[in-house]
Amino acid sequence: MSATAVHSLWTTAAGEVDKIPAPHIEYSLLSPTLIVIGAAVVGILIEAFVPRKARYYAQVFTAVVALIAAFAAVVGLAAGGYGTTKAGIAAMGAIAVDGPALFLQGTILLAGLVSVFTFAERRLDPATHGNRVDSFAAQAASVPGSESEQAAVKAGFATTEVFPLALFAIGGMLVFPAANDLLTLFIALEVFSLPLYLLCALARRKRLMSQEAAVKYFLLGAFSSAFLLFGVALLYGYAGTVSYAGIADVVDGTVQNIDPALAGTMGNDALLLIGAAMILMGLLFKVGAVPFHMWTPDVYQGAPTPVTGFMAAATKVAAFGALLRLLYVVLPGLRWDWRPVMWGVAIVTMLLGAIVAITQTDIKRLLAYSSIAHAGFILAGVIATTPDGISSVLFYLGAYSFVTIGAFAVVTLVRDAGGEATHLSKWAGLGRRSPLVAAVFAVFLLAFAGIPLTSGFAGKFAVFKAAAEGGAGALVVVGVISSAIAAFFYIRVIVLMFFSEPKADGPTVAVPSPLTMTAIGVGVAVTLVLGVAPQYFLDLANQAGVFVR
């Protein structure tokens, strides 16, 4: 080829360069996520450059300020009408900014903020070598029980990386329920899952159990991510696009101009059904619904308790948000296909969670099965397929997340020589030894059971009402029966605490710093306020219950 021909190719190409459109990003609409991810990056720089003595304070300060600022940004967007009249799609169609997205993002940020307080707690364990210690391993890289670990403990090391990890997880969770195309959904899933796998392995006590929990979570999480990604590929083959609106148009049959390259597979129902089932599988795993629940009890029991509380609350909120958007925005045209399947999943999840919890002897495993049962209750609201269904699920998620974090924060207080005393027999007579802690835990258990005047009752009532009005009356009957079964084991713990004799060698209740007191106090306040006067928050969830399409 001659030099002139090459030159003319260059000039032609150069002439076309200015036709590539620059991406148009609405930074103000994405500000909550950007603040959190930015703070996480700052946290990594703190680990690299700040002296070890000052890192803990710098990290806690950065995390708390970032989460408060991000929550303020969410409130600002909601006040600016982006949840209702100005709702729209941002970031080149990747992110939806609408009522459900903002409501769930606000819930995740508040849950994250309360969780960071429990992460930062340093008064529960006795000081070792004159250093206050938290729930996390002194040096995560050292082998449990090795000399290097003992040296790290002696030197007063602390794993302050947990704060940027938590911020990255929260950043991914903020994008997950707001994702408006399948690739953004997958990337957000990985961004919040990978930090959680790491956080699960960092317990200071019972490190081998903690590492086992992290490996189980990682392996099963990798499986579920693979299912989700394969489902994305099949749905792309079906619709020729990964955007939610584009797929919904093909499902409804309203698409006009078909790309000839895709004409062969486009509209092939087998691809749609298998792809949608696989994506649902990935999301139901994150929610902890049966039969994808196997990781939940092991991981909840093995992970450091502050991480368990954070994971139990925030991951559920993010995953249910994504599930709602997928079913209500992408697949409303498939309703007759997915509703019977979700009926089955909800019924099995409610019953199995409630029945298996009765047999548990460890308080963290008991709360894990309780969270599986709650996933079933929330699915009843998802199945309603009405606007009330969306708002009832939003309300339930908000109420549930604070009760959960509060309950796990109380679990961190009851300790014996080996760390947290999580075996139920150790909790006998706790009400006589420490009436206030036992009373607070009783409030949380009653909220889980759905007793009136607690947030759990208001949430369950809203979800069951929506399900009944959406034609799922039989589901409500099963829900009420499994609630009754669940009430048995919650009340059994209360009876154990208040009506049995304390043992002489029983555990002590540690006096926490104001950080954990704040976390527990917020949990109690939300439980009682949402139980006694839920109407304002139900109205808020109603206003936020409309997805942008």
Side-chain angles (χ1 to χ4, degrees), residues 356-537:
V356 180
I358 293 175
T359 64
Q360 298 307 311
T361 55
D362 184 279
I363 195 87
K364 283 167 83 174
R365 285 185 86 85
L366 185 133
L367 290 174
Y369 279 105
S370 140
S371 93
I372 293 170
H374 281 280
F377 299 140
I378 303 173
L379 281 173
V382 173
I383 291 168
T385 60
T386 58
D388 278 356
I390 302 176
S391 57
S392 71
V393 169
L394 295 182
F395 177 83
Y396 200 123
L397 288 169
Y400 171 80
S401 50
F402 291 100
V403 182
T404 306
I405 295 173
F408 280 107
V410 173
V411 173
T412 61
L413 303 184
V414 182
R415 310 180 86 82
D416 58 16
E420 288 161 13
T422 56
H423 198 279
L424 271 179
S425 62
K426 304 271 181 72
W427 287 59
L430 192 72
R432 303 190 185 184
R433 192 163 275 172
S434 184
L436 182 63
V437 171
V440 165
F441 197 61
V443 169
F444 291 140
L445 290 172
L446 292 173
F448 282 137
I451 304 296
L453 297 184
T454 62
S455 58
F457 174 75
K460 267 187 191 155
F461 184 79
V463 166
F464 288 161
K465 178 168 169 275
E469 286 170 359
L475 201 61
V476 177
V477 175
V478 177
V480 171
I481 292 170
S482 42
S483 291
I485 298 171
F488 166 74
F489 63 80
Y490 294 127
I491 290 169
R492 192 182 72 182
V493 177
I494 297 175
V495 169
L496 183 75
M497 290 193 298
F498 287 101
F499 299 105
S500 45
E501 287 299 319
K503 288 185 180 151
D505 58 342
T508 55
V509 175
V511 178
S513 69
L515 292 166
T516 300
M517 285 181 188
T518 307
I520 296 172
V522 168
V524 172
V526 171
T527 305
L528 296 176
V529 168
L530 293 188
V532 177
Q535 199 52 50
Y536 170 75
F537 297 95

